[in-house]
Amino acid sequence: MSRKTIGVGVISLGWMGRLHTRSFKALREKYPEIEVDIKLVVCCDVVESNRQFAVDNLGFEKAVEDYRDVLSDPEVDVVSICAPNFLHHEIAMAAIEAGKPFWIEKPMGISAQESKEIARGAQSAGLITSVGFNYRHAPAIEMARAIVAEGAIGRITNARVWLIADYASSPDGPLTWRYAKEKAGAGVILDLLGHGADLVQYVLKDRFTAVTAQTGLFITERPIPLEQGMGHATVQVSDQKGPVGNEDYVAVLGTLESGTLVTMESSRVSVGPRAEYIIEVYGTEGSLRWNFEDLNRLQICIGNDHGFQQGYVDAMASPDYPGFSRFQPGAGTSMGFDDLKVVEAAQFIQGVLDNKQYGPSAGDGWAAAEVDDAIEKSAEDRTWHEVAPVDVVTTFDHDNALQA
């Protein structure tokens, strides 16, 4: 079979845009069975130095300032959308209009309504999509999902998820778009807790039906930045400060369709944990624990009759775990965050080739957005809110063909 060339366009070359680019370039080595050559056709960024970097250092053939020039380029077959939250809906809808399959970072929009329009539009257009729920691609998470599915820990009774980070813990951190309600939507709910909602639904193959929540804003104003940074990087700031428009912290109680109970918590202003993203799953016959800060380790307890040996086994990810051997030869040699994005890129590109949805879909993005939306509403009125179901293809409830 002859190899196919897929032309790639990347929109916005910040942290995620560069990571998407590296992930596309890694496919030939990590997934040699995918019969494709990646061609980096064009990068779009409003910052001139980023455009120059794309051509000089990353290998793009050209760089442009307007994303419409990416979507109209006949050599571009697929698009990565890595712009700030408030641009996601506009760019995704334009990609749908142009008929371009797209890989978009989460959240897909700043509201469930925006995510719904993207998901329905993509499905109506018959487009393969991918959403940046990268934590679900950790081999330890895939193994946890398999253990739950085979019933090894019994009937699932409850789960706990917390995503506690410190990237916004300094009150001197710049007032970027992330802290503006009109540009970011919610704060830590969309930035971190959306990942938690997806992890729960993916590992348990179950969906949220209702939530109740409380939020807190602890750093109410921040200094205005004097320059544009990348990701959560430090930049120069002025002496003037402006108000923060969204929450720093959220705590959630939730129920799933099966009756499983869930607690979730997230903070962007913690002092201590750096990126403590944890899921715990409890069943009648055992439990599982995973922490992103130690992403190659899965803690497993199966059975409750082991006497003085009762407790967790620390299992290191190894070639026995789904996908691990593509990146490392044996247990104890760790995969990293960037590798999870390579898995995501592989699922997206293979899906485009096969016209089959393998990776997290726009439907998954919408499903998480509905959880986020119900959390926001609950925090406002302090009551339980139902989570609206979605009517497009999701992948959290079926097995993935590209895990091995």
Side-chain angles (χ1 to χ4, degrees):
M1 181 185 297
S2 60
R3 298 179 69 87
K4 181 175 181 179
T5 297
I6 288 186
V8 170
V10 174
I11 298 174
S12 189
L13 199 68
W15 172 35
M16 278 295 118
R18 297 181 190 210
L19 182 47
H20 278 220
T21 303
R22 295 196 299 273
S23 299
F24 282 125
K25 293 166 74 173
L27 292 183
R28 186 160 191 143
E29 175 193 352
K30 302 302 183 182
Y31 290 83
E33 76 277 16
I34 300 180
E35 295 286 330
V36 68
D37 291 320
I38 296 295
K39 181 181 181 181
L40 299 178
V41 176
V42 58
C43 170
C44 167
D45 201 281
V46 296
V47 179
E48 183 179 1
S49 60
N50 285 347
R51 296 197 299 273
Q52 196 65 48
F53 186 87
V55 175
D56 293 346
N57 299 90
L58 296 181
F60 282 94
E61 294 182 348
K62 56 190 172 184
V64 297
E65 190 172 357
D66 192 330
Y67 75 82
R68 297 171 186 85
D69 293 333
V70 176
L71 298 178
S72 64
D73 193 314
E75 293 191 45
V76 171
D77 300 304
V78 301
V79 178
S80 276
I81 302 172
C82 305
N85 296 2
F86 63 96
L87 295 173
H88 283 183
H89 178 264
E90 174 186 329
I91 298 172
M93 297 308 291
I96 292 167
E97 180 68 24
K100 308 281 189 182
F102 58 89
W103 176 11
I104 188 170
E105 276 307 310
K106 46 65 56 193
M108 288 200 307
I110 62 172
S111 67
Q113 178 64 32
E114 288 192 352
S115 293
K116 175 170 70 174
E117 292 172 6
I118 293 169
R120 283 181 171 174
Q123 181 159 297
S124 295
L127 297 178
I128 299 301
T129 56
S130 183
V131 179
F133 290 129
N134 40 273
Y135 301 111
R136 64 155 73 175
H137 305 307
I141 286 293
E142 296 284 18
M143 181 60 77
R145 188 173 194 252
I147 290 171
V148 169
E150 69 184 22
I153 61 172
R155 177 177 59 84
I156 305 305
T157 57
N158 61 292
R160 299 174 63 207
V161 175
W162 63 100
L163 297 97
I164 307 295
D166 70 345
Y167 64 82
S169 59
S170 171
D172 297 324
L175 185 70
T176 66
W177 61 266
R178 293 181 184 278
Y179 305 101
K181 182 77 171 178
E182 68 276 10
K183 291 187 175 182
V188 76
I189 295 173
L190 295 189
D191 205 22
L192 289 182
L193 199 66
H195 279 298
D198 182 70
L199 275 177
V200 168
Q201 295 187 139
Y202 185 69
V203 172
L204 302 186
K205 297 185 182 181
D206 206 351
R207 64 171 293 270
F208 279 92
T209 55
V211 294
T212 186
Q214 186 170 359
T215 59
L217 173 58
F218 306 141
I219 300 176
T220 58
E221 61 178 14
R222 294 180 176 274
I224 296 171
L226 297 174
E227 57 183 340
Q228 185 170 338
M230 184 182 302
H232 301 299
T234 301
V235 299
Q236 277 192 308
V237 296
S238 73
D239 294 331
Q240 294 183 315
K241 292 187 176 183
V244 174
N246 50 29
E247 80 289 341
D248 290 324
Y249 172 87
V250 60
V252 181
L253 297 176
T255 58
L256 303 183
E257 201 165 42
S258 65
T260 297
L261 303 180
V262 179
T263 61
M264 298 195 294
E265 182 183 15
S266 196
S267 173
R268 64 187 182 188
V269 296
S270 62
V271 177
R274 306 307 307 268
E276 192 175 81
Y277 307 156
I278 295 176
I279 180 169
E280 297 180 344
V281 181
Y282 294 89
T284 54
E285 302 296 331
S287 62
L288 303 165
R289 306 173 75 181
W290 176 80
N291 182 355
F292 168 69
E293 289 188 339
D294 194 7
L295 70 86
N296 294 278
R297 185 188 307 273
L298 180 63
Q299 292 185 285
I300 308 168
C301 180
I302 297 178
N304 55 12
D305 56 355
H306 301 298
F308 75 92
Q309 293 182 322
Q310 183 67 35
Y312 285 107
V313 171
D314 279 352
M316 291 298 295
S318 70
D320 295 321
Y321 281 52
F324 182 86
S325 61
R326 292 184 184 275
F327 299 90
Q328 298 296 352
T333 305
S334 297
M335 287 175 60
F337 177 87
D338 287 14
D339 295 327
L340 307 184
K341 282 296 186 185
V342 178
V343 178
E344 206 162 88
Q347 292 179 351
F348 175 50
I349 292 299
Q350 187 68 69
V352 170
L353 292 173
D354 296 346
N355 194 32
K356 184 177 180 180
Q357 188 68 50
Y358 294 123
S361 67
D364 293 294
W366 176 19
E370 289 293 357
V371 179
D372 295 339
D373 185 71
I375 289 170
E376 283 191 76
K377 290 176 179 176
S378 174
E380 290 175 0
D381 63 20
R382 302 296 179 90
T383 66
W384 280 87
H385 278 259
E386 293 187 357
V387 176
V390 304
D391 56 11
V392 299
V393 172
T394 60
T395 64
F396 64 74
D397 55 358
H398 70 257
D399 291 325
N400 191 293
L402 294 182
Q403 292 176 357

